[in-house]
C-alpha cells in the first residue's frame, strides 16, 4: 500500500526500533511507496512512512533492495554532499563516505554483509541516518 510521507521532524528525530518478521508488511508498503515516488526519490526509511522501525529500501543500481536492521560496520573515503529528502524541505549538507560495509538482515532475517560504493553507498547512508534519528 502506498503510504503518506511523514514530515513530522519530532517523529523523524526518534531513533528507530529493531525490525522483526512482523514488519514484513511495512517493508512491502515502503517498497510500494518508493516505487510511487521513483521520479524524485531513490531511497526511503520506515520512519518516512510513519513507522519507527529499522527498515530501509533503496535503488541498488536499478533494482530495489530492502534491508532490515542495517548498520555500517566499516567506512572509508569521507566527502561532503548535499542532499534532499521527501520528508524535509530543501537540501542539507552531509558528511558521507565513498565506501561502506553494511551488516543487515534480509527478508528471512538472515544476516548479510556487503560493501557498497559511490551513489548507492550515499543513498544507504542517508537512509541509515533516518534510522538513527539524524535529520540531515
Amino acid at each position: 500500500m502506498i503510504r503518506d510521507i511523514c514530515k513530522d521532524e519530532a517523529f523523524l528525530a526518534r531513533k528507530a526500533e529493531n525490525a522483526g518478521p512482523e514488519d514484513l508488511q511495512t517493508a512491502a508498503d515502503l517498497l510500494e511507496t518508493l516505487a510511487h515516488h521513483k521520479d524524485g526519490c531513490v531511497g526511503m526509511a520506515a520512519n518516512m512512512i510513519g513507522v519507527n522501525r529499522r527498515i530501509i529500501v533503496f535503488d541498488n543500481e536499478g533494482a530495489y533492495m530492502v534491508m532490515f536492521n542495517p548498520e555500517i560496520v566499516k567506512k572509508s573515503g569521507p566527502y561532503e554532499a548535499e542532499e534532499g529528502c521527501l520528508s524535509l524541505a530543501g537540501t542539507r549538507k552531509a558528511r558521507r563516505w565513498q565506501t561502506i560495509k553494511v551488516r543487515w538482515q534480509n527478508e528471512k532475517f538472515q544476516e548479510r554483509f556487503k560493501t557498497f560504493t559511490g551513489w548507492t553507498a550515499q543513498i544507504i547512508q542517508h537512509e541509515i541516518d533516518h534510522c538513527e534519528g539524524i535529520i540531515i
Side-chain angles (χ1 to χ4, degrees):
M1 171 173 62
I2 297 168
R3 305 276 287 274
D4 290 336
I5 302 299
C6 175
K7 297 181 185 287
D8 178 349
E9 289 192 27
F11 180 80
L12 295 168
R14 292 173 44 199
K15 190 169 180 171
E17 298 174 13
N18 281 342
E22 67 278 7
D23 297 306
L24 287 168
Q25 184 59 53
T26 296
D29 291 351
L30 200 52
L31 280 167
E32 195 170 340
T33 304
L34 176 58
H36 178 74
H37 291 281
K38 69 179 185 239
D39 291 338
C41 186
V42 292
M44 297 184 82
N47 65 356
M48 293 176 66
I49 60 168
V51 180
N52 194 33
R53 292 286 189 271
R54 289 187 69 87
I55 308 167
I56 67 170
V57 298
F58 58 95
D59 182 340
N60 183 24
E61 300 178 359
Y64 288 142
M65 185 168 181
V66 178
M67 290 182 172
F68 293 88
N69 305 312
E71 172 182 13
I72 297 170
V73 295
K74 190 174 180 181
K75 54 193 175 188
S76 65
Y79 66 96
E80 296 299 317
E82 190 166 321
E83 301 172 349
C85 181
L86 286 179
S87 289
L88 304 167
T91 60
R92 292 173 165 79
K93 294 188 183 302
R95 182 181 175 125
R96 297 294 179 221
W97 303 90
Q98 181 63 31
T99 302
I100 59 172
K101 183 174 185 178
V102 182
R103 174 177 47 219
W104 79 95
Q105 293 169 316
N106 65 14
E107 293 90 340
K108 295 180 180 177
F109 289 86
Q110 299 163 322
E111 188 172 74
R112 296 289 183 249
F113 289 88
K114 185 173 179 178
T115 299
F116 297 89
T117 61
W119 179 235
T120 303
Q122 185 174 337
I123 298 166
I124 294 167
Q125 291 169 81
H126 179 103
E127 303 316 331
I128 289 177
D129 277 358
H130 273 293
C131 293
E132 295 298 325
I134 298 169
I135 298 177
I136 310 161

